[in-house]
Amino acid sequence: MLEKINTLIEELEQLTAEKKEQVEEYRIRFLSKKGAITALFDDFKSVPNDMKKEMGQRLNELRDLAKNKINDLKEKFEEAETSGDNTLDLTTPPLPYVQVGSRHPLSIVKNEIISIFSKIGFTISEGREIEDDWHNFTALNTPENHPARDMQDTFYVSLNPEMVLRTQTSSVQVHIMEKQTPPIRTISPGRVYRNEAISARAHCQFHQVEGLYIDEKVSFADLKQTLLYFAREMFGEDTKIRLRPSYFPFTEPSAEMDISCTICKGAGCNVCKYTGWVEILGCGMVDPQVLENCKIDSTKFKGFAFGMGIERITMLKYQMKDLRLFFENDVRVLKQFTAAEK
Ligand SMILES: [Zn+2]
């Protein structure tokens, strides 16, 4: 009998399993009611009394060993199943390359505009994209039924007809004027929305930067000088500007600003439609009524404001012809701008 026990112990110590089913087979072979170890316990009755102690100890050792070994094997398979480790191949080579993104051209140009105006003391202010009627229109001299509202086809938030997707970042400046006392010198970059058909030259969403300067002795000459500085910083030292009279509800007088064509340098090309000039922004002296709407004393303070589309500036700077390229996020297009970033 001792011999049998020793043989089984040896066998158990070398036990391995390739499959989960094998472990169950072992359990049946050693530990079930008809298993080898159970059979030995049955034989134990016939062991002579003087050998019972030693044999009993040895038999218990065998049973414990069998239980532990089979449990260990079982756990090994269960662990592998839950962690899925058996499918992980650490020798797999890495992917050939990881695609790294690049900064969007609109962000590059926006940051450049911010940096240019920061140098002459403009702060950055941002606001909400869902705006109420007062801040987007009424405070800016565009009350209900005013014809100028037609200039900006608006998305209304359907649950509340008083709320709109802002059509201009001037709304941010209304908040600033309501909260701060002059001097105010700030630019507000951000996304704006208009209900327009999408084409190469128009989109329902685009980006603006608006500037506002309010102080006691601000003049139109200050506006012109600020914009000349901007144009030269943005498009080069030899850039010329010209101002043409225009109309905006919130400025009086109002003007549109052209810069000398960056491509043909004024000689005439298809970008400037052979005029030598391209329009880049609108501007003017803040209408006294707008100051009053925001509780700023218009007899004491004056201000100028300007606004430009970031898409327009970017298209001119990089000579892009289709506005839709900005929103398609084609990596092949966007990657070209990495090198241009300062
Ligand atoms: Zn030109």
Side-chain angles (χ1 to χ4, degrees):
M1 187 169 177
L2 196 58
E3 214 173 285
K4 272 190 194 169
I5 294 175
N6 287 340
T7 318
L8 283 175
I9 287 179
E10 247 175 64
E11 202 185 322
L12 277 165
E13 273 168 353
Q14 286 163 18
L15 213 59
T16 57
E18 298 293 321
K19 285 187 221 156
K20 202 182 165 187
E21 291 75 30
Q22 270 178 304
V23 184
E24 181 60 11
E25 277 168 28
Y26 292 147
R27 193 192 64 79
I28 293 168
R29 196 164 111 209
F30 293 106
L31 295 169
S32 72
K33 276 185 182 174
K34 287 178 182 172
I37 295 171
T38 321
L40 284 176
F41 271 95
D42 288 342
D43 293 348
F44 184 71
K45 291 168 204 152
S46 53
V47 170
N49 278 346
D50 57 339
M51 287 179 71
K52 266 199 163 115
K53 196 181 170 194
E54 192 200 339
M55 203 67 83
Q57 272 177 355
R58 201 73 182 136
L59 205 51
N60 281 335
E61 275 172 33
L62 171 67
R63 190 191 51 199
D64 292 346
L65 177 70
K67 277 185 181 168
N68 289 339
K69 188 81 190 181
I70 287 168
N71 273 343
D72 284 352
L73 287 172
K74 215 165 146 184
E75 270 173 27
K76 195 183 94 183
F77 282 106
E78 278 167 3
E79 260 175 40
E81 264 176 19
T82 50
S83 67
D85 273 352
N86 51 343
T87 60
L88 181 66
D89 182 0
L90 294 174
T91 63
T92 312
L95 292 171
Y97 66 96
V98 177
Q99 285 215 342
V100 178
S102 58
R103 195 154 289 185
H104 195 284
L106 292 178
S107 299
I108 297 172
V109 170
K110 183 188 86 174
N111 290 343
E112 209 176 329
I113 296 171
I114 288 174
S115 143
I116 291 170
F117 283 105
S118 299
K119 282 184 206 159
I120 52 170
F122 279 79
T123 60
I124 316 300
S125 35
E126 286 179 331
R128 54 200 192 200
E129 293 184 13
I130 297 178
E131 192 53 271
D132 55 50
D133 189 279
W134 168 259
H135 290 93
N136 193 77
F137 287 122
T138 312
L140 291 159
N141 260 2
T142 321
E144 215 180 327
N145 303 322
H146 190 288
R149 286 210 186 194
D150 295 342
M151 290 163 71
Q152 301 178 0
D153 289 332
T154 311
F155 285 116
Y156 286 86
V157 178
S158 62
L159 292 175
N160 184 347
E162 286 293 299
M163 301 300 281
V164 299
L165 290 182
R166 67 180 180 197
T167 60
Q168 52 197 356
T169 45
S170 312
S171 57
V172 180
Q173 304 183 339
V174 176
H175 286 283
I176 299 281
M177 286 189 280
E178 284 172 341
K179 264 183 267 167
Q180 288 181 23
T181 45
I184 294 170
R185 188 159 40 177
T186 189
I187 56 169
S188 30
R191 188 177 295 150
V192 299
Y193 304 86
R194 290 185 198 176
N195 190 2
E196 285 187 36
I198 295 167
S199 72
R201 301 182 65 82
H203 209 288
C204 59
Q205 57 163 348
F206 53 99
H207 299 77
Q208 278 190 335
V209 174
E210 305 227 353
L212 176 72
Y213 182 25
I214 299 173
D215 207 342
E216 282 185 30
K217 287 171 185 162
V218 179
S219 71
F220 202 92
D222 296 324
L223 169 63
K224 192 180 166 190
Q225 203 56 36
T226 303
L227 294 178
L228 177 64
Y229 155 78
F230 166 72
R232 285 180 171 169
E233 288 284 309
M234 193 75 199
F235 296 102
E237 258 316 295
D238 53 352
T239 309
K240 296 185 187 71
I241 63 166
R242 78 174 182 190
L243 293 160
R244 287 177 290 106
S246 184
Y247 170 76
F248 303 108
F250 33 84
T251 44
E252 181 59 39
S254 306
E256 271 167 3
M257 186 178 96
D258 301 336
I259 57 164
S260 50
C261 180
T262 51
I263 293 156
C264 63
K265 306 286 172 204
C269 70
N270 63 354
V271 171
C272 59
K273 299 191 188 98
Y274 301 95
T275 62
W277 297 94
V278 278
E279 184 200 323
I280 64 160
L281 57 79
C283 58
M285 301 304 290
V286 180
D287 192 306
Q289 185 58 48
V290 172
L291 296 176
E292 292 296 330
N293 288 345
C294 301
K295 312 266 184 300
I296 291 174
D297 183 355
S298 64
T299 56
K300 190 176 174 196
F301 294 106
K302 290 189 187 324
F304 68 67
F306 56 86
M308 66 190 96
I310 300 178
E311 279 81 356
R312 175 105 183 117
I313 306 284
T314 311
M315 285 168 91
L316 279 174
K317 200 168 165 70
Y318 296 123
Q319 295 167 32
M320 291 167 76
K321 294 209 168 71
D322 195 326
L323 190 63
R324 289 168 292 194
L325 288 172
F326 292 129
F327 302 106
E328 282 168 358
N329 283 334
D330 184 331
V331 176
R332 289 166 302 180
V333 174
L334 299 180
K335 268 199 151 175
Q336 299 169 34
F337 299 93
T338 330
E341 190 182 1
K342 281 180 187 170

